[in-house]
Amino acid sequence: MSLIEEETIVRIAAKGDGITESGQHHPGTVPGDRIANGAVISRGPHYVEAPCAHFERCGGCQIQHADEIALTDFVTQRVAGAARGQGIEPENVLATHLSPPGARRRATLHALRTAQGAVLGFREAGSHRIVDATECPVLADNLTRLFPRLRAFLGRFADKQPVDVMLALSDQGPDIAFTNLALEGLEATEAALDLAREAGLARLSLDQGYGPETLWEPEPVTVTLSGTVVPLPVRTFLQATPDAQDVMVEDARNWLSETRMIADLFAGLGTFAFGLSGSARVLAAEADRAAHLACKAAANRTGKSVFPIHRDLFRNPLQPDELDRFDAVLLDPPRAGARSQIDQIVKSAVGRVVYVSCNPSSWSRDATVLCGAGFKLRSLRPIGQFRWSTHVELTSLFER
């Protein structure tokens, strides 16, 4: 075999592979590692031993072998690179925020009953095979401590089809929702109630194919958003970590501190609306009915200046004459972005847009439309809320 010239890994690519200056991808490497003949010949200063025993098999994390500097650089380059790839130069790139280990308060695990008992964890990358997790340094301890109880329960009562286990932390404690789990008979139901009681769950629900049904909820389950207690419906979206949520809301507050009328689009439970309502009147538009009703209930109870409306912004975006009533717009859309709504914003008189995104690709597409209509990207903050994952997020401010 002929020798190939040695190369150095210069950055981490979008899917987590290390990449050399010549464009060669090498899984499991980080900047500074030296490569020859497709193999690592020396590790650089940014390589660390993965903290989780399941890393490399579990599909939940891709870059646990990168130190804090390499992780920060990866998140920063993914976000800033998405803008620059469209010819958009941010005037100000704020410090990248990384969520710490053990901060994640929601996740969906997968489980399967086998002859040896249940396996419970995330799936392997590119596979339906479930990695039986004994630890997870990403999740909050209050959630990982539930693994043995969940495994024992599902080993007794799950069918032979996979079960999804949605975990979330509410104000009252852990909230668990099973999907594809049918409990047959009194014994199974009583065992589920015992699980909820002994594990100190805030709520236990299951979906047997007809939508979620709550089995256990000693008191109404809530989540506190910017000091406002909001009902938490089953399986409703929450930002994955409280620390990243706080950074996002604070950015929005700083950028919109002088505005008095704000349209919060894709508002969810009111994560941003309640944070902005101290100095402004906020319209909170949301398509998911359960989230909309929870936001409305909290607004009515507290008297906050939040005015929820139930509206599908993909099919029925706010029109220019509606948007013209507002000083600013805040968007936090799903991964697909907000193309239809952006098209209406650029036709309106709105001069300030705060765009929070969980997908740099769809965000950069929408940012190109905004900039083409005279907006400038004033500020951009990369956010690594899903630690050790290639999934990155951002906050941004556009003005014209």
Side-chain angles (χ1 to χ4, degrees):
M1 178 184 297
S2 60
L3 292 178
I4 297 176
E5 184 179 354
E6 290 184 15
E7 290 191 282
T8 302
I9 300 297
V10 295
R11 63 182 178 87
I12 300 175
K15 295 184 178 180
D17 294 346
I19 188 170
T20 66
E21 286 185 353
S22 67
Q24 298 298 311
H25 288 248
H26 297 274
T29 61
V30 295
D33 290 352
R34 298 285 294 169
I35 307 295
N37 292 323
V40 176
I41 59 173
S42 66
R43 291 293 188 182
H46 300 300
Y47 179 85
V48 295
E49 293 296 327
C52 180
H54 305 298
F55 180 62
E56 294 184 351
R57 286 191 60 226
C58 176
C61 296
Q62 294 79 43
I63 44 178
Q64 283 192 9
H65 55 294
D67 71 358
E68 208 74 2
I69 293 173
L71 281 174
T72 302
D73 287 347
F74 169 75
V75 175
T76 305
Q77 291 171 13
R78 285 274 286 121
V79 171
R84 290 165 181 151
Q86 298 295 328
I88 302 171
E89 186 63 37
E91 292 184 5
N92 185 27
V93 178
L94 302 177
T96 296
H97 176 80
L98 291 183
S99 290
R104 189 165 167 183
R105 64 178 172 184
R106 68 168 174 86
T108 298
L109 304 181
H110 309 286
L112 184 67
R113 183 181 178 184
T114 70
Q116 291 74 39
V119 294
L120 172 74
F122 295 102
R123 290 194 175 102
E124 292 183 11
S127 170
H128 292 292
R129 187 179 296 110
I130 299 169
V131 176
D132 196 25
T134 57
E135 60 180 323
C136 183
V138 171
L139 289 181
D141 287 345
N142 286 1
L143 298 179
T144 55
R145 284 200 294 265
L146 298 173
F147 286 10
R149 292 183 185 273
L150 290 170
R151 192 176 283 109
F153 172 76
L154 293 169
R156 291 178 61 195
F157 298 107
D159 289 331
K160 293 185 178 179
Q161 64 176 340
V163 175
D164 289 341
V165 184
M166 299 185 68
L167 307 174
L169 278 179
S170 69
D171 293 338
Q172 291 74 25
D175 178 18
I176 296 181
F178 294 121
T179 303
N180 298 325
L181 177 64
L183 295 183
E184 301 287 347
L186 181 61
E187 181 186 7
T189 301
E190 289 182 339
L193 295 174
D194 288 343
L195 166 68
R197 182 169 47 252
E198 293 168 5
L201 301 186
R203 177 169 57 201
L204 178 64
S205 59
L206 70 152
D207 187 340
Q208 303 180 80
Y210 307 100
E213 306 169 71
T214 298
L215 294 181
W216 171 269
E217 189 176 8
E219 59 181 295
V221 174
T222 62
V223 61
T224 300
L225 303 173
S226 297
T228 300
V229 177
V230 181
L232 180 62
V234 177
R235 301 193 310 201
T236 297
F237 174 80
L238 276 178
Q239 293 292 346
T241 65
D243 60 278
Q245 175 181 285
D246 290 346
V247 170
M248 293 174 180
V249 172
E250 188 61 25
D251 281 349
R253 280 199 192 107
N254 290 337
W255 292 334
L256 301 177
S257 60
E258 298 177 359
T259 56
R260 295 296 173 261
M261 292 285 289
I262 301 169
D264 178 5
L265 309 182
F266 309 95
L269 294 170
T271 300
F272 294 96
F274 289 112
L276 296 169
S277 64
S279 60
R281 293 165 63 85
V282 186
L283 177 79
E286 172 57 41
D288 180 80
R289 182 171 292 276
H292 159 70
L293 292 175
C295 180
K296 185 176 182 179
N300 290 342
R301 179 181 56 79
T302 61
K304 295 287 181 69
S305 297
V306 174
F307 305 93
I309 62 170
H310 183 232
R311 186 152 172 174
D312 185 339
L313 297 171
F314 289 107
R315 295 183 175 88
N316 186 23
L318 264 66
Q319 299 299 302
D321 61 331
E322 297 173 291
L323 292 164
D324 288 346
R325 306 170 191 171
F326 298 95
D327 304 316
V329 170
L330 182 144
L331 305 100
D332 183 16
R335 289 188 61 78
R339 186 165 191 165
S340 297
Q341 187 61 76
I342 290 291
D343 288 343
Q344 302 307 314
I345 289 172
V346 300
K347 296 175 185 176
S348 75
V350 170
R352 181 172 293 187
V353 174
V354 172
Y355 195 144
V356 180
S357 175
C358 60
N359 184 354
S361 296
S362 61
W363 170 85
S364 65
R365 179 203 66 206
D366 292 342
T368 301
V369 176
L370 289 171
C371 292
F375 283 89
K376 303 292 184 184
L377 179 53
R378 302 298 189 193
S379 290
L380 178 65
R381 186 190 299 276
I383 297 176
Q385 183 169 199
F386 292 84
R387 187 178 183 85
W388 296 315
S389 165
T390 55
H391 182 82
V392 302
E393 308 197 355
L394 62 93
T395 58
S396 58
L397 170 65
F398 295 86
E399 291 180 323
R400 65 176 172 184

